[in-house]
Amino acid sequence: MELVLNVLLVLTSVLLIVLILLHRGKGGGLSSMFGGAVSSQLSGSSVVEKNLNRLTVFAGLIWTVCIVALGILIKV
């Protein structure tokens, strides 16, 4: 079980690094290369940016669960 959590932790860590780098900063970001620069007139931000935000939050939650679960397993 520890091995599975460690592998999942490493994968989500790398995924989080990539996803955070894709986010748009103050002057634009790597997300503009993949269609993030085209923004919707009504909502103010693009669908790509919203999906990127959701994916980043989901990966962060999985990462947090892995950290907590590893902490509990190691403590016992």
Side-chain angles (χ1 to χ4, degrees):
M1 184 68 174
E2 254 183 80
L3 179 64
V4 173
L5 284 173
N6 278 324
V7 169
L8 190 59
L9 181 66
V10 169
L11 290 177
T12 55
S13 297
V14 171
L15 182 64
L16 274 173
I17 290 170
V18 171
L19 289 173
I20 289 171
L21 286 175
L22 283 174
H23 277 280
R24 182 183 311 177
K26 290 182 179 179
L30 293 176
S31 64
S32 62
M33 290 174 33
F34 303 108
V38 180
S39 61
S40 173
Q41 296 292 334
L42 298 175
S43 64
S45 66
S46 69
V47 175
V48 174
E49 196 72 30
K50 287 181 184 177
N51 288 336
L52 186 60
N53 288 339
R54 290 179 186 142
L55 191 57
T56 305
V57 169
F58 181 70
L61 288 174
I62 293 174
W63 185 84
T64 305
V65 168
C66 286
I67 291 290
V68 171
L70 277 171
I72 290 171
L73 282 176
I74 291 172
K75 187 177 181 181
V76 173

PDB file of all heavy atoms in Angstrom, residues 10 18-20 22 32 42 47 49 51 61-63 66 69 76:
ATOM      1  N   VAL A  10       4.352  10.772  -6.319  1.00  0.00           N
ATOM      2  CA  VAL A  10       5.333  11.279  -7.280  1.00  0.00           C
ATOM      3  C   VAL A  10       4.642  11.712  -8.574  1.00  0.00           C
ATOM      4  O   VAL A  10       4.928  12.788  -9.117  1.00  0.00           O
ATOM      5  CB  VAL A  10       6.413  10.211  -7.570  1.00  0.00           C
ATOM      6  CG1 VAL A  10       7.273  10.605  -8.751  1.00  0.00           C
ATOM      7  CG2 VAL A  10       7.264   9.985  -6.337  1.00  0.00           C
ATOM      8  N   VAL A  18       3.515  20.645 -13.677  1.00  0.00           N
ATOM      9  CA  VAL A  18       3.174  20.952 -15.070  1.00  0.00           C
ATOM     10  C   VAL A  18       1.922  21.816 -15.141  1.00  0.00           C
ATOM     11  O   VAL A  18       1.876  22.810 -15.880  1.00  0.00           O
ATOM     12  CB  VAL A  18       3.002  19.650 -15.875  1.00  0.00           C
ATOM     13  CG1 VAL A  18       2.426  19.927 -17.256  1.00  0.00           C
ATOM     14  CG2 VAL A  18       4.321  18.921 -15.985  1.00  0.00           C
ATOM     15  N   LEU A  19       0.898  21.463 -14.381  1.00  0.00           N
ATOM     16  CA  LEU A  19      -0.360  22.211 -14.426  1.00  0.00           C
ATOM     17  C   LEU A  19      -0.189  23.640 -13.931  1.00  0.00           C
ATOM     18  O   LEU A  19      -0.758  24.577 -14.499  1.00  0.00           O
ATOM     19  CB  LEU A  19      -1.433  21.497 -13.602  1.00  0.00           C
ATOM     20  CG  LEU A  19      -1.968  20.196 -14.196  1.00  0.00           C
ATOM     21  CD1 LEU A  19      -2.899  19.512 -13.211  1.00  0.00           C
ATOM     22  CD2 LEU A  19      -2.660  20.458 -15.513  1.00  0.00           C
ATOM     23  N   ILE A  20       0.593  23.827 -12.893  1.00  0.00           N
ATOM     24  CA  ILE A  20       0.810  25.180 -12.365  1.00  0.00           C
ATOM     25  C   ILE A  20       1.601  26.024 -13.365  1.00  0.00           C
ATOM     26  O   ILE A  20       1.327  27.205 -13.549  1.00  0.00           O
ATOM     27  CB  ILE A  20       1.491  25.111 -10.989  1.00  0.00           C
ATOM     28  CG1 ILE A  20       0.489  24.576  -9.962  1.00  0.00           C
ATOM     29  CG2 ILE A  20       2.011  26.474 -10.554  1.00  0.00           C
ATOM     30  CD1 ILE A  20       1.073  24.254  -8.620  1.00  0.00           C
ATOM     31  N   LEU A  22       1.396  25.769 -16.507  1.00  0.00           N
ATOM     32  CA  LEU A  22       0.507  26.075 -17.627  1.00  0.00           C
ATOM     33  C   LEU A  22      -0.421  27.250 -17.349  1.00  0.00           C
ATOM     34  O   LEU A  22      -0.973  27.838 -18.273  1.00  0.00           O
ATOM     35  CB  LEU A  22      -0.336  24.846 -17.983  1.00  0.00           C
ATOM     36  CG  LEU A  22       0.379  23.758 -18.777  1.00  0.00           C
ATOM     37  CD1 LEU A  22      -0.529  22.550 -18.924  1.00  0.00           C
ATOM     38  CD2 LEU A  22       0.809  24.263 -20.121  1.00  0.00           C
ATOM     39  N   SER A  32      -1.606  30.082 -22.989  1.00  0.00           N
ATOM     40  CA  SER A  32      -1.995  30.806 -24.193  1.00  0.00           C
ATOM     41  C   SER A  32      -1.542  30.073 -25.451  1.00  0.00           C
ATOM     42  O   SER A  32      -2.097  30.281 -26.524  1.00  0.00           O
ATOM     43  CB  SER A  32      -1.433  32.227 -24.162  1.00  0.00           C
ATOM     44  OG  SER A  32      -0.033  32.192 -24.136  1.00  0.00           O
ATOM     45  N   LEU A  42     -18.618  36.526 -22.536  1.00  0.00           N
ATOM     46  CA  LEU A  42     -19.569  36.594 -21.425  1.00  0.00           C
ATOM     47  C   LEU A  42     -18.934  36.309 -20.072  1.00  0.00           C
ATOM     48  O   LEU A  42     -19.206  36.980 -19.091  1.00  0.00           O
ATOM     49  CB  LEU A  42     -20.722  35.604 -21.676  1.00  0.00           C
ATOM     50  CG  LEU A  42     -21.552  35.872 -22.927  1.00  0.00           C
ATOM     51  CD1 LEU A  42     -22.569  34.762 -23.114  1.00  0.00           C
ATOM     52  CD2 LEU A  42     -22.239  37.218 -22.822  1.00  0.00           C
ATOM     53  N   VAL A  47     -12.705  28.667 -21.489  1.00  0.00           N
ATOM     54  CA  VAL A  47     -13.074  27.322 -21.036  1.00  0.00           C
ATOM     55  C   VAL A  47     -11.820  26.525 -20.710  1.00  0.00           C
ATOM     56  O   VAL A  47     -11.793  25.750 -19.751  1.00  0.00           O
ATOM     57  CB  VAL A  47     -13.913  26.620 -22.131  1.00  0.00           C
ATOM     58  CG1 VAL A  47     -14.203  25.188 -21.756  1.00  0.00           C
ATOM     59  CG2 VAL A  47     -15.200  27.378 -22.375  1.00  0.00           C
ATOM     60  N   GLU A  49      -9.007  27.674 -19.531  1.00  0.00           N
ATOM     61  CA  GLU A  49      -8.495  28.120 -18.227  1.00  0.00           C
ATOM     62  C   GLU A  49      -9.337  27.556 -17.077  1.00  0.00           C
ATOM     63  O   GLU A  49      -8.794  27.147 -16.049  1.00  0.00           O
ATOM     64  CB  GLU A  49      -8.479  29.648 -18.181  1.00  0.00           C
ATOM     65  CG  GLU A  49      -7.641  30.218 -17.078  1.00  0.00           C
ATOM     66  CD  GLU A  49      -6.156  30.061 -17.313  1.00  0.00           C
ATOM     67  OE1 GLU A  49      -5.715  30.038 -18.466  1.00  0.00           O
ATOM     68  OE2 GLU A  49      -5.415  29.955 -16.309  1.00  0.00           O
ATOM     69  N   ASN A  51     -11.090  24.732 -17.128  1.00  0.00           N
ATOM     70  CA  ASN A  51     -10.790  23.301 -17.015  1.00  0.00           C
ATOM     71  C   ASN A  51      -9.407  23.066 -16.418  1.00  0.00           C
ATOM     72  O   ASN A  51      -9.212  22.111 -15.669  1.00  0.00           O
ATOM     73  CB  ASN A  51     -10.893  22.634 -18.386  1.00  0.00           C
ATOM     74  CG  ASN A  51     -12.324  22.515 -18.849  1.00  0.00           C
ATOM     75  OD1 ASN A  51     -13.242  22.495 -18.047  1.00  0.00           O
ATOM     76  ND2 ASN A  51     -12.511  22.462 -20.155  1.00  0.00           N
ATOM     77  N   LEU A  61      -5.970  17.853  -4.621  1.00  0.00           N
ATOM     78  CA  LEU A  61      -6.708  17.056  -3.631  1.00  0.00           C
ATOM     79  C   LEU A  61      -6.160  15.629  -3.550  1.00  0.00           C
ATOM     80  O   LEU A  61      -6.007  15.084  -2.451  1.00  0.00           O
ATOM     81  CB  LEU A  61      -8.197  17.030  -3.969  1.00  0.00           C
ATOM     82  CG  LEU A  61      -8.945  18.336  -3.740  1.00  0.00           C
ATOM     83  CD1 LEU A  61     -10.372  18.214  -4.248  1.00  0.00           C
ATOM     84  CD2 LEU A  61      -8.939  18.716  -2.274  1.00  0.00           C
ATOM     85  N   ILE A  62      -5.867  15.033  -4.682  1.00  0.00           N
ATOM     86  CA  ILE A  62      -5.283  13.690  -4.685  1.00  0.00           C
ATOM     87  C   ILE A  62      -3.921  13.708  -3.995  1.00  0.00           C
ATOM     88  O   ILE A  62      -3.601  12.820  -3.200  1.00  0.00           O
ATOM     89  CB  ILE A  62      -5.155  13.152  -6.124  1.00  0.00           C
ATOM     90  CG1 ILE A  62      -6.535  12.910  -6.717  1.00  0.00           C
ATOM     91  CG2 ILE A  62      -4.338  11.863  -6.160  1.00  0.00           C
ATOM     92  CD1 ILE A  62      -6.519  12.521  -8.169  1.00  0.00           C
ATOM     93  N   TRP A  63      -3.119  14.736  -4.263  1.00  0.00           N
ATOM     94  CA  TRP A  63      -1.806  14.882  -3.640  1.00  0.00           C
ATOM     95  C   TRP A  63      -1.948  14.993  -2.116  1.00  0.00           C
ATOM     96  O   TRP A  63      -1.207  14.359  -1.369  1.00  0.00           O
ATOM     97  CB  TRP A  63      -1.120  16.118  -4.223  1.00  0.00           C
ATOM     98  CG  TRP A  63       0.276  16.331  -3.771  1.00  0.00           C
ATOM     99  CD1 TRP A  63       1.396  15.766  -4.276  1.00  0.00           C
ATOM    100  CD2 TRP A  63       0.698  17.194  -2.710  1.00  0.00           C
ATOM    101  NE1 TRP A  63       2.501  16.230  -3.590  1.00  0.00           N
ATOM    102  CE2 TRP A  63       2.095  17.097  -2.626  1.00  0.00           C
ATOM    103  CE3 TRP A  63       0.016  18.032  -1.831  1.00  0.00           C
ATOM    104  CZ2 TRP A  63       2.825  17.822  -1.692  1.00  0.00           C
ATOM    105  CZ3 TRP A  63       0.748  18.745  -0.902  1.00  0.00           C
ATOM    106  CH2 TRP A  63       2.130  18.631  -0.845  1.00  0.00           C
ATOM    107  N   CYS A  66      -2.866  11.669  -0.561  1.00  0.00           N
ATOM    108  CA  CYS A  66      -1.689  10.788  -0.517  1.00  0.00           C
ATOM    109  C   CYS A  66      -0.775  11.149   0.635  1.00  0.00           C
ATOM    110  O   CYS A  66      -0.265  10.262   1.334  1.00  0.00           O
ATOM    111  CB  CYS A  66      -0.923  10.866  -1.830  1.00  0.00           C
ATOM    112  SG  CYS A  66      -1.708  10.036  -3.194  1.00  0.00           S
ATOM    113  N   ALA A  69      -2.492  10.047   3.912  1.00  0.00           N
ATOM    114  CA  ALA A  69      -2.502   8.594   4.038  1.00  0.00           C
ATOM    115  C   ALA A  69      -1.111   8.033   4.322  1.00  0.00           C
ATOM    116  O   ALA A  69      -0.952   7.134   5.147  1.00  0.00           O
ATOM    117  CB  ALA A  69      -3.056   7.962   2.750  1.00  0.00           C
ATOM    118  N   VAL A  76       1.842   4.520  12.106  1.00  0.00           N
ATOM    119  CA  VAL A  76       1.422   3.238  12.694  1.00  0.00           C
ATOM    120  C   VAL A  76       2.489   2.239  12.579  1.00  0.00           C
ATOM    121  O   VAL A  76       3.431   1.971  12.877  1.00  0.00           O
ATOM    122  CB  VAL A  76       0.180   2.672  11.964  1.00  0.00           C
ATOM    123  CG1 VAL A  76      -0.154   1.288  12.446  1.00  0.00           C
ATOM    124  CG2 VAL A  76      -0.987   3.603  12.144  1.00  0.00           C
TER     125      VAL A  76
END
